[in-house]
Amino acid sequence: MNRATAWERATQGRAAPFAVVDLDAFDTNAADLARRAAGRPIRVASKSIRVRHLLQRALEHEGFAGVMSYSLREALWLSGTGVRDLFVAYPTTDRGALEMLAHDEQALEEIAIAVDSAEQVDALQRWLPAGAPVRVVIDVDASLRVGPAHLGVRRSPIRSPRRAAAVATAARRAGLRVVGLMFYDAQIAGLPDSSAAVRFVKARSDASLQRRRGAVRRAVEEAVGPLRIVNGGGTGSLEVTGTDPALTELAAGSGLVGPTLFDGYDAFSPQPAVAFALPVVRRPAKNIVTVFSGGYIASGPAGANRVPSVHHPRGLDLISSEGAGEVQTPLRGKAARDLDLGDRVWFRHAKAGELAERFDEYVVVRGDEVVDVVPTYRGEGKNFG
């Protein structure tokens, strides 16, 4: 029995649209991520999950430790529910959340926030109550530079050991506790192996980072003392990035879910663990059906790889002139002839966590049975941007 057939049996009679999480696939993906990390602990990227039940399930797997959050308010909320060891991997200007952090003794010991410049350090010094011992992690640019070319994402302005040490020193002088470093190698972790050129860029980038990460860590530790967190990698680079002895941990989230953007890698093939069902509501032509809703477009550069993909039944495709729509989505293909009004079409999202912003709950499936229904962040009334 394929997974979509099992989902169909498990959810028979349930009104679509709805989303499912397949526990067997989720657990298989978790085990494969841990295998690829080869003993290096994996911090779970919450932005790729956005369901507390699934965050906790991931943390219960051997090889996973800590949460990489994307919002300080999210981290404060998770801390209040009992989640420990949280790293907010993006800078914050939320003064209200910073005030809450400064006055929460437990959160001060459990939450660290990213900084990547003296400018951010100065801002935190102004916004935080005097003497608030907030824990910070220095975010270091992990992109590849080839001449004037910048290959990777635009995150931190820090690249050199000297500059990283200078920001760490400034943070310590401001009363912040420097506890770590972060290096996100997006051009390795987030880039499918689509060509020989891409594989060459990845290999060259890894070789460069293997030299630079260690030098940055040594410089920062000489400036401010031992670091507890030295984080790197992502779902697409665990077995590569994890070989660097300068790192203490890796990060991953999307690999637990298996969205379509991670279908094109050489080293691994995640199982589709999250999917959503939409009902057939029209038949404009013999080989065309229209399903309700469906315009769940992923963030990033606009393009065909950011739209949902039909998972089941095979033989249906989006119509290029309409795409995935706000209220309805037409689909063309031979399989349309076998669908009746009310039948479900199963889709996968391009990215992992963003689907949770569309649904209040995930139907939890194991085999061909529904074993639970759990709220997403949205279902718990939480929206962190």
Side-chain angles (χ1 to χ4, degrees):
M1 182 189 306
N2 67 43
R3 294 200 186 279
T5 301
W7 302 335
E8 188 68 29
R9 290 187 183 181
T11 59
Q12 189 173 6
R14 184 176 294 270
F18 60 85
V20 301
V21 55
D22 186 317
L23 290 187
D24 292 330
F26 187 91
D27 291 345
T28 295
N29 290 339
D32 191 52
L33 288 170
R35 175 192 63 79
R36 291 172 54 220
R40 195 65 60 92
I42 300 170
R43 187 176 291 273
V44 184
S46 65
K47 74 177 181 63
S48 300
I49 308 295
R50 306 190 203 205
V51 180
R52 279 200 300 134
H53 173 88
L54 296 180
L55 283 175
Q56 189 59 49
R57 188 175 188 89
L59 291 170
E60 290 170 357
H61 277 271
E62 184 175 354
F64 291 79
V67 171
M68 177 179 284
S69 185
Y70 63 96
S71 158
L72 178 53
R73 286 189 183 269
E74 176 206 17
L76 288 164
W77 173 61
L78 291 174
S79 177
T81 67
V83 179
R84 299 291 174 257
D85 189 7
L86 294 136
F87 165 38
V88 184
Y90 305 85
T92 183
T93 59
D94 187 335
R95 301 187 197 188
L98 288 166
E99 185 81 15
M100 293 166 61
L101 174 62
H103 290 97
D104 187 328
E105 291 186 6
Q106 177 174 295
L108 282 170
E109 297 305 317
E110 297 291 347
I111 297 173
I113 63 177
V115 296
D116 65 21
S117 65
E119 180 183 14
Q120 289 175 3
V121 169
D122 290 344
L124 289 177
Q125 191 172 21
R126 294 195 308 271
W127 298 336
L128 286 166
V134 170
R135 301 160 75 239
V136 297
V137 172
I138 311 297
D139 189 355
V140 180
D141 178 33
S143 64
L144 176 65
R145 303 283 180 85
V146 181
H150 179 282
L151 304 176
V153 292
R154 295 283 187 176
R155 287 175 66 106
S156 169
I158 300 172
R159 283 186 66 82
S160 70
R162 179 189 58 79
R163 191 165 183 185
V167 172
T169 299
R172 185 178 63 177
R173 288 174 179 165
L176 305 173
R177 290 181 288 168
V178 180
V179 298
L181 295 167
M182 177 187 184
F183 303 83
Y184 177 49
D185 51 9
Q187 71 281 5
I188 306 175
L191 199 60
D193 298 303
S194 57
S195 68
V198 167
R199 295 181 184 92
F200 174 77
V201 166
K202 287 187 172 188
R204 181 165 176 176
S205 184
D206 178 58
S208 172
L209 281 169
Q210 293 273 356
R211 295 188 296 271
R212 189 156 57 89
R213 277 188 293 245
V216 170
R217 178 176 179 176
R218 288 190 295 274
V220 171
E221 290 190 323
E222 287 175 4
V224 298
L227 301 175
R228 192 180 73 82
I229 297 171
V230 185
N231 180 280
T235 286
S237 68
L238 295 182
E239 71 285 342
V240 176
T241 305
T243 63
D244 191 339
L247 298 175
T248 64
E249 64 179 39
L250 303 171
S254 296
L256 292 163
V257 171
T260 60
L261 282 176
F262 285 87
D263 283 348
Y265 287 75
D266 293 338
F268 66 102
S269 297
Q271 298 293 310
V274 171
F276 60 98
L278 303 179
V280 174
V281 293
R282 297 178 190 258
R283 186 183 302 281
K286 179 184 283 189
N287 67 334
I288 298 176
V289 291
T290 302
V291 295
F292 176 73
S293 191
Y296 310 152
I297 310 302
S299 60
N305 66 346
R306 302 286 157 164
V307 301
S309 298
V310 175
H311 183 64
H312 180 82
R314 302 292 183 186
L316 289 174
D317 293 296
L318 297 173
I319 296 174
S320 60
S321 60
E322 295 194 50
E326 179 183 10
V327 178
Q328 66 175 31
T329 298
L331 303 166
R332 175 184 284 126
K334 290 183 179 180
R337 301 174 185 179
D338 299 322
L339 292 173
D340 295 324
L341 297 182
D343 285 350
R344 281 97 65 101
V345 176
W346 292 89
F347 293 79
R348 292 168 61 204
H349 201 270
K351 298 191 80 171
E354 292 178 13
L355 185 65
E357 300 293 347
R358 294 288 187 164
F359 291 93
D360 290 340
E361 61 190 26
Y362 280 179
V363 179
V364 183
V365 174
R366 184 185 290 283
D368 59 358
E369 295 183 3
V370 172
V371 297
D372 204 352
V373 177
V374 297
T376 61
Y377 280 12
R378 167 177 156 160
E380 296 198 69
K382 302 298 180 181
N383 182 342
F384 301 106

